Amino acid sequence: MTDRAGCAGCAGERRTPSGAVLRAPIAALLTTLLAASAVLFGAGGAEAAGYRYWSFWEGTGTSWAYATQGPSLLRPDDGTVQGFRFSVSEDSADADQPRRAPDFGAICADTPAKDGSKRVALVIDPGTAADAPDGEEPPALRTACAQVAPDASSAEALASVAKPLRYDSSAMICAISGYPRSGCGEQVSGDGGKKDGSGEPSAPAASSAPAADDGDGVDDGDGGGGPSAGLLVGIGAVLLLGVAAVFQARRRR
């Protein structure tokens, strides 16, 4: 009995170090996996990017709302206010508003109403030096009262007071009054454009914001800063290797 008890005790002693030896590499493996995932996700966040472009806004009383149609499609009513703001943003919810209130009375005070036309007040805000492309200085913010035909679009109203305009093939505004000289919705690094924080989140507008790069030099993607597909594949591969190692360790017990 003593010998058997002693043998049982010996067996128990043999199992304990074996379990500890098994748990130690598994714990180390899980720690490594968590660290790798944190690094990979952190890299994805560091690569978060924005787009440098003109956003399009509509005046709603004393505030601004991101336009839900592009300026070439929208046909504003007489007495409305519309704004254009150049800045760097990840998407429409992150875009900066024009830095002038949408005050039709003040902007069109010197432009009397006329039969057979409508008046559209415009706020044209080229943004800050932090949002400007390299080598360019933004012109001063200005307002204008466009007097155009009753069926004129917002783009036509803008063209009547702020030429030259430049568009890309998808009718996105690239330049107003020649600013900027080149580029159109180009992607910039996450720290490449420090915003002044004046923007307020509002509804997205697919016709105004840039989409993914289709090979013509214009970025056409949504600009979100999440991990790329390659990054997710890499994380998945690391996790699969970790799971396989755990199962292999269990089989050797």
Side-chain angles (χ1 to χ4, degrees):
M1 292 295 291
T2 302
D3 292 340
R4 290 178 183 175
C7 291
C10 291
E13 291 173 2
R14 286 196 298 271
R15 285 196 299 270
T16 301
S18 174
V21 169
L22 178 62
R23 285 193 297 272
I26 292 177
L29 176 61
L30 291 175
T31 301
T32 302
L33 288 174
L34 289 173
S37 299
V39 170
L40 289 172
F41 278 116
E47 294 170 0
Y51 295 87
R52 182 182 285 118
Y53 69 102
W54 282 98
S55 55
F56 178 41
W57 301 80
E58 295 183 275
T60 57
T62 58
S63 60
W64 293 103
Y66 203 99
T68 56
Q69 288 182 291
S72 61
L73 299 176
L74 187 62
R75 299 187 183 279
D77 295 328
D78 178 72
T80 58
V81 187
Q82 301 191 317
F84 297 85
R85 172 67 191 266
F86 189 77
S87 66
V88 174
S89 60
E90 292 185 21
D91 51 37
S92 59
D94 183 52
D96 283 331
Q97 299 178 1
R99 294 170 295 168
R100 171 74 181 267
D103 188 342
F104 177 84
I107 296 171
C108 289
D110 297 329
T111 306
K114 186 170 63 175
D115 291 341
S117 68
K118 65 182 177 183
R119 293 176 299 167
V120 180
L122 300 172
V123 176
I124 303 168
D125 185 352
T128 67
D131 293 320
D134 291 343
E136 294 200 56
E137 197 68 31
L141 180 153
R142 71 186 184 95
T143 62
C145 186
Q147 196 157 43
V148 292
D151 63 345
S153 67
S154 300
E156 290 171 322
L158 180 65
S160 72
V161 298
K163 289 181 179 178
L165 304 180
R166 179 164 52 86
Y167 290 84
D168 72 355
S169 58
S170 65
M172 182 175 124
I173 292 180
C174 303
I176 296 177
S177 297
Y179 180 78
R181 292 190 297 267
S182 61
C184 192
E186 67 271 19
Q187 191 174 32
V188 297
S189 63
D191 57 356
K194 183 178 180 182
K195 295 167 12 95
D196 65 6
S198 64
E200 293 289 337
S202 55
S207 354
S208 298
D213 187 0
D214 56 9
D216 61 0
V218 179
D219 290 317
D220 304 324
D222 61 7
S228 66
L231 183 63
L232 294 176
V233 169
I235 293 172
V238 171
L239 293 177
L240 284 175
L241 288 173
V243 172
V246 170
F247 276 109
Q248 184 65 23
R250 287 180 176 177
R251 291 181 58 188
R252 291 176 178 174
R253 285 193 298 178

